[in-house]
Amino acid sequence: MFAYVKNKFVDYNQAFIHIDERGFKFGDGIFDTIIVNNYNLYQWDFHHNRIVKGLKSIKLKGDISGLKQIATKLLRKNKLANGLIRLSISRGVGSQGYLPETTKPTIVMQAMSAPELNSQMANLFLSNYRRIPSCCIPVSAKTMQGLCSTLARTEAVENDCYDALQLSINDKIAECSSSNIFWFKDGKLYTPSLKCDILPGSIRSAVIRLSPWPVIQGEFLIDHLQNAVEIFITNVAVKALSVKRIKPLNKIYTHTEVATKINSLLQLDIEEATRGKN
Amino acid sequence: MFAYVKNKFVDYNQAFIHIDERGFKFGDGIFDTIIVNNYNLYQWDFHHNRIVKGLKSIKLKGDISGLKQIATKLLRKNKLANGLIRLSISRGVGSQGYLPETTKPTIVMQAMSAPELNSQMANLFLSNYRRIPSCCIPVSAKTMQGLCSTLARTEAVENDCYDALQLSINDKIAECSSSNIFWFKDGKLYTPSLKCDILPGSIRSAVIRLSPWPVIQGEFLIDHLQNAVEIFITNVAVKALSVKRIKPLNKIYTHTEVATKINSLLQLDIEEATRGKN
């Protein structure tokens, strides 16, 4: 497999960056993961917009033109028609301390197969780690600051759960360590609004666009899930994955109809959006 | 110059890590910076203890034995008797998502000259970025989650200041982007306690140990600085650096006597602690 590192396509095993890369020293950069279908990037405009906004929010300047062309070339070189593109933009090499002294970002790209979709309903663990608030770092950007998610996901797995449900520091339902959350109640879909310090996920955005039910974005306490009929989580790897239980809460959710419908709408949208472009 | 990367001493220009290193993908690791004098590491026990606690707090397991020996060998190879050792421990290569699937941490070490000490008093900027609270990630560990510090320091420099003074999310004085803060008032030294979501800095610890004045660690609002006679910030690079003003507050601080005394005590302590060991 080939990867793209700093203007070059290189063998994955030779895909290296320098130890003084700020992405390594300080997690100083952003990344993104994009669905690939038929050699095409699904929702590229959404991702590109999030990348540009993200870079602006962390004050990372520098040339990032040609990302789509690089991704397409990488997929062709790897003969990977379907899967995921993972893209990182780190602030670059240089500067001993926190103050950036470089405007040459390092672009890294990888092409990879999509993981197998889960066929079982997922258990979530109500995390002890809160999401980082937006008064500390930009949270609408998919930054390399992944320790909070790493610790929450680890804690979830230690508790025999698939993922962690994390609250904001204001006790509102926020998101999972690597996915957004939706729930169905009274004929409507509910999901935390961007005020809850969540990442605006690309599948979250697609679900809001495609849902045949009204979608209410708001600020909700955990109690709001008590009378939900169905819960599911979303990201580019799992699409919409149904939730069975949120430990240590006792309620068991059994319905999967809404997630099933959303998944079929997503699949149609992906096919439609990527048809025949290549 | 040589660097140490994954069990090898390598030329600095060839010091690479893989793009799938979790330190690069997620800032998933810790680092530390240690003063070197006469080929000896100042306050090694403090640093080693912080490293061990830090690794535990981010649940990073794996062999990290021999760090001191590696550091000493690196200094000898580089013929660097005085300066700094910078040490990074990243969780290692592997695992596509946040969930760690590796227990082989990657150890990186660099030896470098200490920066020139500032002879001028520093201006601080009262940052718009709050310190990340300990309910989100461990803050007593020097993690690679450096975006908050990077953004705060950048904002400070944009406002013609040397560093940023950051508050906790509860409006308490916390620390600067890369230094701790002390102030002198009524014959006592004041500094934020660890409850204020600050890093327990190594020079902070030395100042508390060496101070001829009582040191009060507590939770203070920014108003507490209004009647301070003198302010200084501390880290391994600047030791104790006097502060002239905290923008946009108007008060000008002119005294430097306490910082001067602290610096001379620090210098004596460094000489004493590292004398004749090598």
Side-chain angles (χ1 to χ4, degrees):
Chain A
M1 292 287 280
F2 291 93
Y4 177 88
V5 184
K6 277 197 161 194
N7 310 316
K8 280 186 199 152
F9 294 94
V10 293
D11 186 292
Y12 172 79
N13 295 313
Q14 301 297 320
F16 294 120
I17 47 165
H18 195 264
I19 57 169
D20 264 341
E21 179 59 57
R22 289 181 58 97
F24 177 67
K25 290 171 80 173
F26 304 125
D28 186 8
I30 63 164
F31 72 100
D32 215 316
T33 309
I34 303 153
I35 291 175
V36 175
N37 193 58
N38 186 30
Y39 288 110
N40 280 305
L41 304 172
Y42 177 55
Q43 296 196 127
W44 170 251
D45 290 347
F46 175 92
H47 289 283
H48 188 256
N49 190 34
R50 187 167 71 182
I51 291 164
V52 169
K53 275 190 181 169
L55 293 175
K56 195 175 176 192
S57 73
I58 67 166
K59 299 183 179 178
L60 198 165
K61 292 170 189 155
D63 184 15
I64 59 144
S65 58
L67 292 179
K68 193 177 181 180
Q69 289 73 14
I70 296 165
T72 305
K73 198 165 174 188
L74 183 63
L75 292 166
R76 291 285 175 190
K77 279 184 88 77
N78 283 307
K79 298 188 174 59
L80 190 84
N82 305 297
L84 298 169
I85 281 282
R86 191 184 196 280
L87 176 164
S88 302
I89 304 174
S90 163
R91 201 181 302 266
V93 169
S95 57
Q96 191 167 320
Y98 289 115
L99 187 66
E101 290 163 9
T102 167
T103 52
K104 281 193 184 166
T106 295
I107 297 172
V108 170
M109 221 181 278
Q110 290 172 258
M112 52 189 78
S113 308
E116 292 273 316
L117 282 187
N118 288 39
S119 55
Q120 293 201 312
M121 295 177 79
N123 284 331
L124 300 182
F125 184 74
L126 188 56
S127 182
N128 289 302
Y129 297 95
R130 301 297 177 102
R131 294 307 289 178
I132 297 175
S134 57
C135 60
C136 300
I137 55 170
V139 297
S140 292
K142 205 166 165 66
T143 67
M144 293 175 172
Q145 307 286 297
L147 189 57
C148 178
S149 288
T150 296
L151 292 172
R153 184 91 196 262
T154 299
E155 181 193 41
V157 171
E158 286 169 352
N159 286 278
D160 296 321
C161 291
Y162 173 76
D163 201 354
L165 176 58
Q166 299 187 261
L167 305 180
S168 72
I169 59 165
N170 301 318
D171 301 328
K172 301 299 194 310
I173 301 168
E175 63 187 329
C176 296
S177 81
S178 56
S179 51
N180 292 112
I181 187 165
F182 287 83
W183 58 100
F184 192 76
K185 185 169 165 173
D186 305 328
K188 301 187 195 78
L189 264 184
Y190 289 85
T191 196
S193 80
L194 298 187
K195 285 183 187 170
C196 301
D197 294 331
I198 63 164
L199 182 80
S202 62
I203 300 298
R204 174 184 183 276
S205 140
V207 170
I208 292 170
R209 175 167 53 83
L210 299 170
S211 171
W213 304 280
V215 181
I216 315 294
Q217 301 179 52
E219 299 176 75
F220 305 104
L221 295 170
I222 192 77
D223 295 346
H224 202 268
L225 296 177
Q226 193 55 40
N227 299 319
V229 178
E230 183 177 336
I231 302 180
F232 59 91
I233 59 176
T234 61
N235 68 26
V236 292
V238 303
K239 310 290 195 304
L241 175 61
S242 295
V243 171
K244 187 173 181 185
R245 188 185 159 196
I246 300 170
K247 288 190 186 178
L249 311 180
N250 285 320
K251 175 155 181 177
I252 305 288
Y253 302 88
T254 54
H255 287 273
T256 60
E257 291 85 348
V258 174
T260 302
K261 176 71 181 168
I262 290 290
N263 271 327
S264 73
L265 291 169
L266 276 171
Q267 196 50 45
L268 280 173
D269 195 59
I270 292 171
E271 296 294 339
E272 176 74 21
T274 57
R275 181 177 299 149
K277 281 196 185 167
N278 270 298
Chain B
M1 292 287 280
F2 290 94
Y4 177 88
V5 183
K6 277 195 160 193
N7 310 317
K8 280 185 199 153
F9 293 94
V10 294
D11 186 292
Y12 172 79
N13 296 313
Q14 301 296 320
F16 296 118
I17 47 165
H18 195 265
I19 56 169
D20 263 341
E21 179 59 57
R22 290 181 58 97
F24 178 66
K25 291 171 79 173
F26 305 124
D28 187 9
I30 62 165
F31 72 100
D32 215 315
T33 310
I34 303 152
I35 291 175
V36 175
N37 194 57
N38 186 28
Y39 287 109
N40 281 306
L41 303 171
Y42 177 55
Q43 297 196 128
W44 169 250
D45 290 346
F46 175 92
H47 288 283
H48 187 257
N49 190 34
R50 187 166 71 181
I51 290 164
V52 170
K53 275 190 182 169
L55 293 175
K56 194 174 175 193
S57 73
I58 66 166
K59 299 183 180 178
L60 198 165
K61 291 168 189 159
D63 183 16
I64 59 144
S65 59
L67 292 179
K68 192 176 181 181
Q69 289 73 13
I70 297 165
T72 305
K73 198 165 172 186
L74 184 62
L75 293 166
R76 290 286 175 189
K77 279 184 88 76
N78 283 308
K79 298 188 173 59
L80 190 85
N82 305 298
L84 298 169
I85 281 281
R86 190 184 197 280
L87 178 164
S88 302
I89 304 175
S90 164
R91 202 181 301 265
V93 168
S95 57
Q96 193 167 320
Y98 288 115
L99 188 65
E101 291 163 9
T102 168
T103 52
K104 281 193 185 168
T106 295
I107 297 173
V108 169
M109 221 181 277
Q110 290 171 259
M112 52 189 79
S113 308
E116 292 272 315
L117 283 187
N118 288 38
S119 55
Q120 293 201 311
M121 294 176 82
N123 285 332
L124 301 181
F125 185 74
L126 188 56
S127 182
N128 287 303
Y129 297 95
R130 300 298 177 101
R131 293 308 290 179
I132 296 176
S134 57
C135 60
C136 301
I137 55 170
V139 297
S140 292
K142 205 166 165 67
T143 67
M144 293 174 172
Q145 306 287 295
L147 189 57
C148 178
S149 288
T150 296
L151 291 172
R153 185 92 195 261
T154 300
E155 181 193 42
V157 170
E158 285 168 354
N159 286 278
D160 296 320
C161 290
Y162 173 76
D163 201 354
L165 176 58
Q166 298 186 262
L167 305 181
S168 72
I169 59 165
N170 301 318
D171 301 329
K172 302 298 193 312
I173 301 169
E175 61 188 328
C176 296
S177 81
S178 55
S179 51
N180 292 112
I181 187 165
F182 287 83
W183 59 98
F184 193 76
K185 187 168 163 171
D186 305 328
K188 302 186 194 77
L189 263 183
Y190 290 85
T191 196
S193 82
L194 298 187
K195 285 183 186 169
C196 301
D197 293 330
I198 64 164
L199 182 81
S202 62
I203 300 299
R204 175 184 182 275
S205 140
V207 170
I208 292 170
R209 175 166 55 82
L210 299 171
S211 171
W213 304 280
V215 181
I216 315 294
Q217 301 179 53
E219 298 176 75
F220 305 104
L221 295 169
I222 192 76
D223 294 347
H224 202 267
L225 296 176
Q226 194 55 38
N227 299 319
V229 178
E230 183 176 336
I231 302 180
F232 59 92
I233 59 176
T234 61
N235 69 25
V236 292
V238 303
K239 311 290 197 300
L241 175 62
S242 295
V243 170
K244 187 173 180 183
R245 189 185 158 196
I246 301 170
K247 288 188 186 180
L249 312 180
N250 285 320
K251 175 154 181 176
I252 304 289
Y253 302 89
T254 54
H255 287 272
T256 61
E257 291 86 346
V258 174
T260 302
K261 176 70 181 168
I262 290 290
N263 271 326
S264 73
L265 291 170
L266 276 171
Q267 196 50 44
L268 281 173
D269 195 59
I270 292 170
E271 296 293 341
E272 176 72 22
T274 56
R275 181 177 299 150
K277 282 198 186 167
N278 272 299

